[in-house]
Every structure is written in C-alpha cells, then in structure tokens.
Amino acid sequence: MTFNLTILGSGSATPVPDRHTTAQMLSIEGDYFLIDCGEGTQYRLIENHLRPGRLKYIFISHLHGDHYFGLVPLLSSLNLAGRTDDLWLFGPRGLWEIITVQFRYSDTKLNYAIHFQETDPHQPAQILDHPNVTVETIPLQHRIDCTGFLFREKNRKRKLIADKLPADLPVTFYRQLKDGQDILDDMGQVLYSAEEYTLPAPQPRVYAFCSDTRYNEAMFDQIRGVDLLYHEASFLDDMESLSEKYFHSTARQAALTARQVAAGRLMIGHFSSRYKVTDEFLVQARSVFPETYLAIEGQTTEV
Ligand SMILES: [Zn+2]
Ligand SMILES: [Zn+2]
C-alpha cells in the first residue's frame, strides 16, 4: 500500500522566498488527504503534479492564517473545475462559518457537498474510519484551539511467498491468502494454507502530524511509537523563551518529543522567517534525535 507524504509548505506565518506556509499531502493507496492548507496551496498542488480533483479529505489544525488561508480559494477552484464528488473537511469551530460567509457574499453555490466535522481541541477522538486508515485528532497546546492528526494504517495484508506458490494456483486465490484465509476444496479440506504460503502482515504504519504547539507531554502516550512524526520547530535554542511565550517549539524540543515517544523518524518544519537558512535546525535536533529530517517543499517521503 502506498503511504506517502509530500511537503507543500514548511514555513510559518511571515512570507519568505522559497518557503511556503503549512500544507502537506498524504497519499494513501490513491486517496488524497490534505493536511493544513496555507496560502497558495492550490498552486503547490499543481507544481507537485497532485491533481486537486482527487482530493477527498482535508484536515485543518487551527485557524491561524498560515494553516488555512488557502482553503477557500481551493474549494472555489474545485467548484470551477466542475467537481461534483463529496468532500470531507475536518477543522476547528469557526472554520465552517468563515467558509460560508465568504461564499455567501460572493454568491457562490457549490456543485458538490462538503461534509464538515468540527474537531475537539481537548480530547483525542477518531474522526475518520477509512478503508485503509483511521484518523484521530491530537490535542495540542497553542495560543488558540489546535489539533494535530494521527493517521493509522489498517488492514495490512500478509505477504505472498512467491517462490513457494504453485504455478497453477489461480490468481484469484492470492487475495484470499493475503487476507490470511486458507483455500479449501469442496469437502472443506485445506488445499493451501495461508500460514504456509504467506508471511505475516507487516506492522501497520502510523504518521503523526503535530502542528503548532509548545512542548506537549500530554500527547506522548497517544503518539508513542509512530513511524514518522512531523513536529513543528519554529525556533532554535536562542529563542527558547520567546518560543514558549508564543506556544511554539524549538528544534530541540521537537527532537526531545521524538526521543521520548520512540518515534521512527522525525520531520521538523514551520521554521520562523527570522532564520534565513535552516541547517542549524537539523544540527540542534540531531544532537538529541539523530533520525531527524527537514520538511522541504516538494519532497515526498514514504511513511
Ligand atoms: Zn503556524
Ligand atoms: Zn499557529
């Protein structure tokens, strides 16, 4: 199953050349899950050859503009492009009101339905049960209500042992074996056992998107053991007290979080515009958690 994350924006609120505000696309087995939608996200989709028409689910962490100012333009363009498929939108209280006010005063009538679900900033909750993945909210500690999102893969299939498979085994049985079901004959006797012809399913993969937050121990249990953790790192050590005051994190705190929860890998982003280059973010984070990478526009990572 494909489970890929493409970074569309790695910056924070103030504009900087070559850095965009937060947006990420998770592509899971052909379905698109957009996470945050900073200004200009629809252009980022086109630049990265991600067809906006295939979008099905949009998740907005909070209502600071650098995380959603691209949303209404995107919804509007989908309409102009003739979309009729339903779309699911998850975000904080107030988001739906903002959207409807904008469309009301522009006399825009969408030709597709948007199913809006409000997120609860205080309690983790499962908000989506998709055939391939479940999505939970992660309450964060920011100046306004803010949640992250936890994407948990499900139903990973057992792996066929190619060398062992009898040449005459009909391909239609492959799926059954991968689901862990034995192939039986008419009398109910086992012809091919899943145990013999397949390997156990790999561990389901988990991706945690932790948007704007200060160092937040309250979420540790929920995100423990994630394969890939995205955590904001707005500042370096020199700004730690300012970071705390603004309810943001430093690269070191993001790395400490990754270490505490035993994440597989850490990706940091949301770099403050006061830093012209981002190398030092990696240095400070890696001194705590070596498996750290920078969020970089246009790069795709397998979860
Ligand atoms: Zn932000
Ligand atoms: Zn914010």
Side-chain angles (χ1 to χ4, degrees), residues 32-45:
Y32 281 172
F33 300 72
L34 181 66
I35 310 169
D36 277 349
C37 189
E39 186 181 342
T41 293
Q42 58 176 334
Y43 296 96
R44 309 288 92 77
L45 295 178

Side-chain angles (χ1 to χ4, degrees), residues 13 61-67 142-146 211-213 232 246-248 270:
S61 64
H62 67 301
L63 292 185
H64 282 151
D66 53 321
H67 297 260
H142 198 39
R143 297 198 299 288
I144 58 172
D145 290 348
C146 185
S211 189
D212 294 7
T213 186
E232 75 122 295
Y246 289 141
F247 289 79
H248 280 297
H270 200 268

Side-chain angles (χ1 to χ4, degrees), residues 205-217:
R205 291 166 290 182
V206 185
Y207 172 58
F209 169 79
C210 296
S211 189
D212 294 7
T213 186
R214 65 177 170 190
Y215 184 70
N216 178 21
E217 290 182 346

Side-chain angles (χ1 to χ4, degrees), residues 3-301:
F3 196 172
N4 292 334
L5 178 73
T6 301
I7 300 302
L8 304 173
S10 73
S12 55
T14 312
V16 185
D18 302 324
R19 245 184 255 165
H20 301 297
T21 49
T22 303
Q24 306 185 348
M25 184 72 96
L26 254 188
S27 172
I28 302 177
E29 206 59 11
D31 276 340
Y32 281 172
F33 300 72
L34 181 66
I35 310 169
D36 277 349
C37 189
E39 186 181 342
T41 293
Q42 58 176 334
Y43 296 96
R44 309 288 92 77
L45 295 178
I46 295 165
E47 288 159 11
N48 288 282
H49 311 289
L50 298 165
R51 290 198 358 244
R54 274 176 56 193
L55 249 178
K56 242 179 172 169
Y57 308 97
I58 302 178
F59 303 85
I60 302 294
S61 64
H62 67 301
L63 292 185
H64 282 151
D66 53 321
H67 297 260
Y68 87 98
F69 277 171
L71 182 60
V72 171
L74 173 63
L75 297 176
S76 181
S77 296
L78 291 175
N79 199 44
L80 289 173
R83 184 187 181 102
T84 53
D85 293 347
D86 290 12
L87 190 126
W88 282 263
L89 173 66
F90 305 86
R93 187 176 65 85
L95 179 60
W96 189 242
E97 188 184 342
I98 291 168
I99 294 169
T100 47
V101 164
Q102 293 213 26
F103 284 148
R104 187 188 318 142
Y105 286 101
S106 60
D107 196 24
T108 302
K109 303 221 172 9
L110 296 181
N111 294 310
Y112 62 95
I114 301 176
H115 305 279
F116 176 69
Q117 187 177 328
E118 195 176 294
T119 49
D120 179 346
H122 306 296
Q123 295 294 331
Q126 183 175 306
I127 52 172
L128 180 64
D129 188 5
H130 176 275
N132 295 322
V133 74
T134 58
V135 186
E136 292 165 33
T137 51
I138 308 168
L140 300 176
Q141 295 181 7
H142 198 39
R143 297 198 299 288
I144 58 172
D145 290 348
C146 185
T147 67
F149 300 100
L150 188 74
F151 296 80
R152 203 184 287 279
E153 188 180 32
K154 59 182 188 183
N155 301 332
R156 291 204 81 180
K157 305 280 186 209
R158 296 178 67 90
K159 275 193 154 62
L160 293 169
I161 306 172
D163 312 345
K164 255 192 171 182
L165 289 173
D168 58 344
L169 184 70
V171 178
T172 47
F173 288 160
Y174 287 8
R175 180 185 301 234
Q176 222 172 310
L177 288 171
K178 281 159 81 175
D179 282 339
Q181 294 165 10
D182 297 336
I183 312 289
L184 308 178
D185 66 12
D186 294 344
M187 307 298 287
Q189 299 294 313
V190 176
L191 282 178
Y192 306 103
S193 85
E195 192 74 33
E196 191 179 346
Y197 292 101
T198 61
L199 295 171
Q203 283 291 315
R205 291 166 290 182
V206 185
Y207 172 58
F209 169 79
C210 296
S211 189
D212 294 7
T213 186
R214 65 177 170 190
Y215 184 70
N216 178 21
E217 290 182 346
M219 70 183 179
F220 284 5
D221 281 341
Q222 192 187 0
I223 64 171
R224 202 170 298 285
V226 293
D227 296 276
L228 179 63
L229 169 66
Y230 168 88
H231 196 292
E232 75 122 295
S234 300
F235 299 102
L236 294 173
D237 288 344
D238 61 330
M239 292 287 166
E240 192 181 333
S241 57
L242 187 84
S243 176
E244 177 77 14
K245 186 173 153 209
Y246 289 141
F247 289 79
H248 280 297
S249 299
T250 62
R252 186 177 303 276
Q253 289 169 328
L256 209 54
T257 301
R259 195 170 76 185
Q260 294 290 342
V261 305
R265 282 168 296 155
L266 169 67
M267 185 184 283
I268 51 175
H270 200 268
F271 310 116
S272 164
S273 62
R274 75 183 64 222
Y275 304 103
K276 299 302 166 221
V277 289
T278 48
D279 312 17
E280 191 57 24
F281 283 88
L282 206 53
V283 172
Q284 293 188 5
R286 281 189 174 167
S287 70
V288 177
F289 189 77
E291 282 295 308
T292 304
Y293 303 88
L294 298 175
I296 295 173
E297 276 79 357
Q299 286 197 355
T300 297
T301 308

